[in-house]
Amino acid sequence: SADGSPLGEAPELDVTLADGKSYKAQIIGRSISDDIAVLRVFAPLDQLKPVPLGSTRDLEEGHTVLAIGNPYGYDHTLTTGVVSAKGRDIPSERGVIRGAIQTDAAINPGNSGGPLLDSAGRLVGMNTSIESPGIGFAIPVETLNRVVSELLRKGRLERPVLGFDSLPG
């Protein structure tokens, strides 16, 4: 765009909480290749309720998962399904998301960024994409923890780069 921000990025963000109240927010870090952004939401702390963290270590194929999101503009939608597979590598806008969770819980446009929860209500992933109806993917919570920690520290994710020089001959 003309101001140098990526196309499709909003200069100002609003976040609406479950009670319907909206608050201003700003991006404080993002990793486009991982499809992860960290937002600072300007809401009173007592209005923000963290989701308990789970783990994908004990998550197995066939386990029940729940996807929460805003598919097609329908607020606070909950869908259920099972873990179809773990460890999938899926293409993202700029790279590959490694180790994704595959699920048949309905993930539709608008669910991206919403939580994928285990049957105990713990965060095990973040909904990110669909391949087709019945084949959705979520970024595992371990990836979220690693990437979000770095985004909070540095505002961006620094990936190692392998450099090669060609030698004559």
Side-chain angles (χ1 to χ4, degrees):
S1 71
D3 66 359
S5 64
L7 292 175
E9 183 175 308
E12 289 187 14
L13 300 171
D14 290 310
V15 172
T16 302
L17 302 182
D19 64 3
K21 293 180 184 174
S22 291
Y23 299 94
K24 295 289 181 199
Q26 74 181 88
I27 296 173
I28 60 171
R30 66 179 170 199
S31 172
I32 294 171
S33 63
D34 292 296
D35 196 22
I36 297 172
V38 176
L39 304 178
R40 175 178 287 131
V41 180
F42 298 99
L45 284 177
D46 64 345
Q47 296 296 307
L48 302 174
K49 309 223 178 345
V51 175
L53 294 179
S55 168
T56 61
R57 282 183 295 246
D58 298 325
L59 197 62
E60 296 180 11
E61 287 80 1
H63 280 179
T64 299
V65 287
L66 305 104
I68 299 176
N70 186 24
Y72 301 107
Y74 294 106
D75 291 345
H76 308 101
T77 297
L78 171 72
T79 59
T80 63
V82 297
V83 172
S84 303
K86 294 182 351 180
R88 298 283 196 211
D89 292 343
I90 57 170
S92 73
E93 186 176 318
R94 292 199 183 156
V96 175
I97 297 172
R98 305 240 177 251
I101 302 164
Q102 180 184 333
T103 180
D104 67 348
I107 296 176
N108 297 298
N111 272 24
S112 293
L116 185 71
L117 307 171
D118 65 14
S119 59
R122 297 175 298 225
L123 181 72
V124 292
M126 182 181 77
N127 306 325
T128 191
S129 69
I130 57 170
E131 179 75 25
S132 66
I135 303 176
F137 297 98
I139 298 166
V141 68
E142 291 82 6
T143 301
L144 291 171
N145 284 334
R146 179 181 49 77
V147 172
V148 167
S149 293
E150 185 150 343
L151 292 176
L152 288 171
R153 279 194 313 275
K154 299 179 181 177
R156 61 190 172 95
L157 189 65
E158 295 179 4
R159 297 210 183 269
V161 176
L162 293 176
F164 293 95
D165 288 333
S166 60
L167 297 174

